[in-house]
Amino acid sequence: MAIRPILIAGDTRLTTPAVTVTAFDSELAAFVDDLYETNTAAHGAGLAANQVGDPRAIFVYDLIDDTRRHRGHVINPTLETSPLPETMPDPDDLEGCLSVPGERYPTGRAEWARVVGVDIANNPISVEGTGYLARCLQHETDHLAGHLYLDRLVGRNHRAARKMIKRRQWTDPGNAWVPGADRDPFGW
């Protein structure tokens, strides 16, 4: 297993839709292990393959929601949600991202989500939840569609994020951080 560098906003690999996984082999299993290890080292709730520069449609998640731990992976996911909110998100409803290190913005998400896909052995799986788990499922499938959570921001939050990206000079590809080696951008 290996901890992989996490790409930062501005890298075009984060905005390129993922490709369907067709090879279910030991390399895939090892890669999923790397995603888990990288996510753990980064103190993340989830990590998509394109966040470490891999184009395949895979994500892992590992989070605690209402004292219950949710941990798993989904390959070739499809997402279903309850209706998305149509108003400004609550200012305390903050979302972060390992590819937008150290930043959090209010982000409206559906309260319920289900992801259907397969596991590393190509067996069908389905994961559904509410609250934090639902947010994570939506966030990670957004990554695989080539979207950062910043794309979902509205109004003043959207403007603030655009200014932050310019200020941090995240407009060029190639920026990354390595969990466990670089300073933890979230201060955990």
Side-chain angles (χ1 to χ4, degrees):
M1 292 192 300
I3 295 173
R4 297 185 179 225
I6 297 174
L7 302 178
I8 295 175
D11 194 299
T12 57
R13 290 171 286 180
L14 292 169
T15 58
T16 303
V19 298
T20 302
V21 174
T22 57
F24 295 84
D25 53 17
S26 60
E27 186 280 329
L28 176 68
F31 177 68
V32 170
D33 285 343
D34 287 354
L35 286 177
Y36 279 122
E37 186 171 354
T38 304
N39 186 60
T40 299
H43 307 286
L47 184 65
N50 62 341
Q51 289 182 270
V52 297
D54 190 291
R56 293 176 286 186
I58 306 166
F59 73 82
V60 299
Y61 60 94
D62 190 353
L63 59 99
I64 296 175
D65 189 15
D66 295 329
T67 70
R68 182 170 171 224
R69 184 176 187 192
H70 302 276
R71 185 175 193 273
H73 65 277
V74 184
I75 300 169
N76 301 332
T78 58
L79 175 70
E80 177 186 358
T81 68
S82 59
L84 291 168
E86 295 183 17
T87 59
M88 268 303 263
D90 182 319
D92 295 326
D93 194 14
L94 298 175
E95 188 165 325
C97 178
L98 297 175
S99 290
V100 186
E103 301 292 335
R104 288 193 165 88
Y105 292 97
T107 309
R109 293 286 187 179
E111 179 56 30
W112 171 87
R114 175 178 31 233
V115 172
V116 176
V118 296
D119 65 13
I120 58 173
N122 201 18
N123 296 314
I125 57 173
S126 178
V127 182
E128 73 177 272
T130 59
Y132 191 32
L133 177 58
R135 177 179 294 276
C136 179
L137 297 174
Q138 293 168 80
H139 182 106
E140 299 310 325
T141 54
D142 271 358
H143 273 300
L144 298 178
H147 302 290
L148 292 171
Y149 86 104
L150 301 177
D151 299 333
R152 295 204 174 267
L153 301 179
V154 295
R156 65 182 170 273
N157 300 317
H158 178 73
R159 290 187 296 279
R162 284 196 355 231
K163 288 179 184 176
M164 175 275 301
I165 286 173
K166 275 184 151 178
R167 184 177 67 253
R168 289 190 172 222
Q169 299 176 343
W170 287 349
T171 54
D172 298 321
N175 292 318
W177 67 284
V178 180
D182 295 333
R183 183 187 68 78
D184 186 332
F186 293 97
W188 292 322

